[in-house]
Amino acid sequence: MPARRIALATLAVLILLLGGGIGAGVWKGGWQPAPKLALDLEGGTQVILQAQSRDGSAIDETAMEQARQIMSQRINAMGVAETEITVQGGTNIVIDVPGQMDQETSAAIRQTAAMSFRPVLGVVAPEGSGEALPSDGGGASDSGGEESEGETSEAPADPSQQLFSGLLSDDSSMAPATGTGEGDLPYPAWSMDWMTPEIQTELMSADCVDPAAQQERATETAPDEPMVACAPDGSAKYLLGPEVIAGSSIEDSSVASDVTPTGQPTGYYVVNMSFDDTAAESFSTMTGALYNGEGATGAFGIVLDGMVISAPEVQEPSPGGEASISGNFSQEQATQLSDQLRFGALPLEFEVASEQQISATLGADQLQMGLIAGLIGLALVVAYAFAQYRLLAIVTTSSLLIMGVLTYATLTVLSNIPEIGYRLSLAGVVGLIVAVAFTADSFIVYFERVRDEIREGRGIAAAVDHGWDRARRTILASDTVNIIAAVVLYLLSTGGVRGFAFVLGLTTLLDLLVVFLFTHPVLQALVRTRFFGKGHPWSGLDPARLDRDVPAYAGRGRVRLGEERGRGGRRGARAEEEPAEREPIAVRRAREAREAREAQEARDGVPVDGASDDGFSGDGISGDGISDAGTPADEDTDETEEQGR
């Protein structure tokens, strides 16, 4: 199969896959048949958060910028694209979410308190009856708590399976020795001395049937005091010791496949985490103490916004500050916990100051004007193509249509994938309009290379192949520069500018796809037809219209010029006005010798006699083509033509 047919078939399969995927998604429900719109085009929700420092100190710009970045990473990790998060007034963070805000996004925005690691002193049933959850008999709960369950989770992880293990050593003797207290605390945070009658009464009276009711009280607890917190789903309530490590000390967290001691995958996933040097020492001390049975239980709780998102049981100490949490997690559950660990800690506390809906009236008008501008630009490109390339512009128009279909389908798929959640903004529309110019530029480079090859005398089919070899390098270089610019702009910008950079990079990649899989193969097929292959005047590839007048061999030693082949154009017109005179070789040489002699006489003022440079005597052949011997010039011409044949 020719390469052009393979390319066209590949493009057809790609379009069918995109179209089929969109159709299946719409048919099954949940997908939209068009790209989702961003805040400036569709409207959405605006949430204003007001910052407060934990110790009452002044709020500096560095802490606010750090909080903004963490919020942006947390929300973008959920696939919410085109969300604008800005700092205003020095103490406010404004979050603009496009479209209807879902419950998961709303919860992520409101999770603005700090994360902390606290030892678990006790776990009881949520209704506050005082009934303890299953234990290992030593007073240490092995329930471990539950991972926070998102709306899309299949099922919560089994709490009894949440285990904690250090990654560097299995030798418990390497755990650091515990002291009498941790920092300024009177005794270690995991000591049962914190279980005073007052805190036990609070534990019994806490209401975890509605976790939000207990959440506010838990967030107001000082870091150096014990607290009562609930599981996010209300399945358990915990008595926790003072804070040992702040969540902001986490350097990184990631998801990996869980394996057995023999290295076989279990089908579940684990969450790996690491701390900075200062927190690693405190974490090592806590895990060593809990592993050695020095605490009220052998577990510690990870608290985010007054909720215990995970409470793993310590299976081995972590002297290096690196550890993993396992619990029969699915990939989705492990990813959610990893994101909470990585993006959950903020340097400040925030409360929701206001929440309101934003109208998209202005954005709708801008979208309409943008689409009109794009259609006008497209029409001008098509008109120019027909004026410059005649019917060859059919290739340009069809390529632009294919480009539009691929762009629309790709943006629709990216909008409907929850992990990506792309939304088309007004800046993205500008990127689409600019893409029309880039795409048309690729066609112009290709067509002009082909026409240059025709001007140089190549046949039309050969000109297409040689022109493609030259144009391909230029197109690749140009699009590579565009892609680099788009990537740099995307990495260094935010908001609408980032949306423009994304669309610019995407359409540049699609431009390469269209040129390689459609434009070149279609042109190769067209030049094999009589209309384009023979250079019809309306084909855009007519050699005469391209100012080419290369003689064509007609057999028997004769050639045909452009006017003899019925060609039009400027060359043919000049040939009709000034017919070419056929001159024998001998006559031409004599004329050239005579003209040289006359020029020398005129220059020197002295007559020149003798033979010419070609060996003919100056008197042997006269200027009118008749020799002195009486031989007619046409007989000499016949001999010359016979020698040529």
Side-chain angles (χ1 to χ4, degrees):
M1 179 182 294
R4 63 179 183 278
R5 294 185 180 179
I6 297 176
L8 293 173
T10 302
L11 181 63
V13 170
L14 179 60
I15 294 177
L16 289 176
L17 288 176
L18 290 173
I22 296 173
V26 173
W27 177 62
K28 289 186 177 181
W31 277 39
Q32 296 182 7
K36 296 180 181 180
L37 301 179
L39 182 70
D40 55 350
L41 300 179
E42 185 182 14
T45 306
Q46 183 181 77
V47 179
I48 300 178
L49 302 176
Q50 187 173 11
Q52 297 176 350
S53 61
R54 300 188 183 94
D55 55 2
S57 60
I59 300 175
D60 59 8
E61 296 181 358
T62 303
M64 288 296 294
E65 178 60 23
Q66 183 182 359
R68 187 198 66 80
Q69 292 178 0
I70 292 176
M71 286 185 183
S72 177
Q73 291 171 334
R74 179 193 298 173
I75 295 175
N76 290 335
M78 301 167 54
V80 181
E82 294 291 345
T83 299
E84 297 182 3
I85 304 177
T86 57
V87 178
Q88 295 182 2
T91 59
N92 294 332
I93 290 183
V94 180
I95 304 174
D96 295 325
V97 181
Q100 186 67 31
M101 184 186 301
D102 56 28
Q103 183 177 357
E104 185 178 1
T105 305
S106 178
I109 290 175
R110 284 164 171 77
Q111 287 181 352
T112 56
M115 178 184 292
S116 63
F117 289 75
R118 296 170 176 257
V120 176
L121 303 180
V123 187
V124 297
E127 64 276 7
S129 62
E131 177 184 355
L133 292 178
S135 171
D136 60 0
S141 168
D142 61 1
S143 66
E146 289 194 18
E147 180 209 6
S148 175
E149 180 186 357
E151 290 182 349
T152 57
S153 296
E154 299 176 358
D158 182 4
S160 63
Q161 296 299 318
Q162 290 192 356
L163 306 176
F164 170 84
S165 61
L167 297 181
L168 298 184
S169 174
D170 296 330
D171 186 1
S172 60
S173 63
M174 294 180 63
T178 59
T180 58
E182 184 70 19
D184 297 332
L185 300 178
Y187 25 80
W190 46 87
S191 173
M192 294 185 65
D193 293 333
W194 294 103
M195 299 181 66
T196 62
E198 292 79 13
I199 195 67
Q200 294 185 46
T201 301
E202 181 181 346
L203 176 64
M204 295 300 104
S205 61
D207 181 15
C208 281
V209 176
D210 182 10
Q214 178 64 23
Q215 184 177 11
E216 184 176 356
R217 174 186 287 184
T219 55
E220 295 175 352
T221 304
D224 58 352
E225 296 179 0
M227 65 180 294
V228 176
C230 302
D233 59 356
S235 60
K237 53 184 175 181
Y238 298 85
L239 175 58
L240 305 172
E243 177 183 294
V244 177
I245 304 166
S248 57
S249 300
I250 296 178
E251 283 191 338
D252 192 20
S253 67
S254 60
V255 177
S257 297
D258 192 11
V259 295
T260 64
T262 60
Q264 298 298 320
T266 63
Y268 298 107
Y269 293 83
V270 298
V271 178
N272 299 322
M273 60 181 177
S274 60
F275 299 88
D276 58 32
D277 295 338
T278 302
E281 183 178 355
S282 299
F283 187 71
S284 176
T285 301
M286 180 181 68
T287 56
L290 297 179
Y291 178 78
N292 293 325
E294 299 178 16
T297 72
F300 65 90
I302 303 174
V303 184
L304 176 62
D305 295 334
M307 296 286 185
V308 181
I309 62 173
S310 181
E313 188 87 10
V314 176
Q315 296 298 301
E316 58 185 68
S318 176
E322 296 182 354
S324 64
I325 301 176
S326 61
N328 291 351
F329 295 140
S330 66
Q331 185 175 13
E332 184 178 1
Q333 292 171 329
T335 300
Q336 181 182 5
L337 179 58
S338 176
D339 290 341
Q340 288 174 322
L341 293 172
R342 190 169 16 161
F343 306 133
L346 290 173
L348 299 169
E349 293 180 348
F350 291 86
E351 63 179 10
V352 179
S354 66
E355 180 176 344
Q356 60 182 352
Q357 297 295 318
I358 300 176
S359 173
T361 303
L362 179 61
D365 295 339
Q366 293 174 338
L367 176 62
Q368 182 179 6
M369 297 303 296
L371 293 177
I372 292 176
L375 291 176
I376 292 175
L378 182 61
L380 291 176
V381 169
V382 173
Y384 170 80
F386 274 97
Q388 179 72 12
Y389 301 111
R390 306 300 174 94
L391 292 184
L392 189 62
I394 295 176
V395 179
T396 302
T397 305
S398 57
S399 297
L400 288 172
L401 290 176
I402 295 295
M403 178 73 174
V405 170
L406 286 175
T407 303
Y408 182 88
T410 304
L411 293 180
T412 301
V413 171
L414 295 178
S415 295
N416 287 285
I417 297 177
E419 291 77 9
I420 300 177
Y422 172 79
R423 287 181 177 269
L424 180 64
S425 63
L426 187 61
V429 175
V430 175
L432 294 176
I433 297 175
V434 173
V436 175
F438 288 151
T439 305
D441 181 65
S442 298
F443 303 150
I444 292 174
V445 169
Y446 182 22
F447 293 161
E448 288 301 324
R449 290 294 191 185
V450 172
R451 288 153 69 100
D452 286 343
E453 294 292 333
I454 295 176
R455 291 187 183 97
E456 293 175 3
R458 293 188 186 275
I460 295 178
V464 169
D465 294 333
H466 286 81
W468 169 247
D469 291 338
R470 298 172 62 186
R472 178 175 55 194
R473 294 190 294 269
T474 304
I475 294 172
L476 285 173
S478 175
D479 285 347
T480 300
V481 172
N482 289 338
I483 292 174
I484 293 175
V487 171
V488 172
L489 192 61
Y490 182 85
L491 295 177
L492 299 181
S493 62
T494 58
V497 179
R498 205 173 194 185
F500 169 80
F502 178 82
V503 173
L504 178 63
L506 176 65
T507 52
T508 303
L509 292 175
L510 293 179
D511 173 45
L512 290 174
L513 195 68
V514 170
V515 171
F516 277 79
L517 298 185
F518 183 79
T519 306
H520 176 54
V522 166
L523 189 56
Q524 281 184 314
L526 288 179
V527 297
R528 283 165 173 76
T529 64
R530 182 176 182 82
F531 182 85
F532 287 94
K534 296 297 182 180
H536 190 278
W538 280 93
S539 67
L541 300 175
D542 180 20
R545 290 185 178 275
L546 297 178
D547 286 344
R548 190 191 82 171
D549 193 20
V550 178
Y553 181 68
R556 299 176 63 88
R558 297 182 61 253
V559 296
R560 293 185 299 165
L561 300 177
E563 69 276 5
E564 295 182 66
R565 301 195 304 271
R567 302 295 187 187
R570 293 187 293 272
R571 293 271 184 163
R574 287 196 298 268
E576 292 178 1
E577 296 174 0
E578 302 176 3
E581 181 180 355
R582 298 179 62 186
E583 188 177 38
I585 296 176
V587 174
R588 176 175 58 81
R589 290 180 177 176
R591 175 179 55 78
E592 292 175 351
R594 185 178 66 253
E595 290 174 353
R597 191 167 56 251
E598 291 174 353
Q600 184 176 358
E601 291 176 354
R603 184 172 59 255
D604 300 337
V606 179
V608 178
D609 295 329
S612 61
D613 294 339
D614 55 4
F616 288 92
S617 171
D619 297 331
I621 300 179
S622 64
D624 57 1
I626 303 296
S627 66
D628 293 339
T631 303
D634 55 354
E635 293 181 10
D636 185 31
T637 301
D638 293 340
E639 290 181 12
T640 303
E641 291 186 354
E642 188 64 30
Q643 292 175 1
R645 287 196 292 269

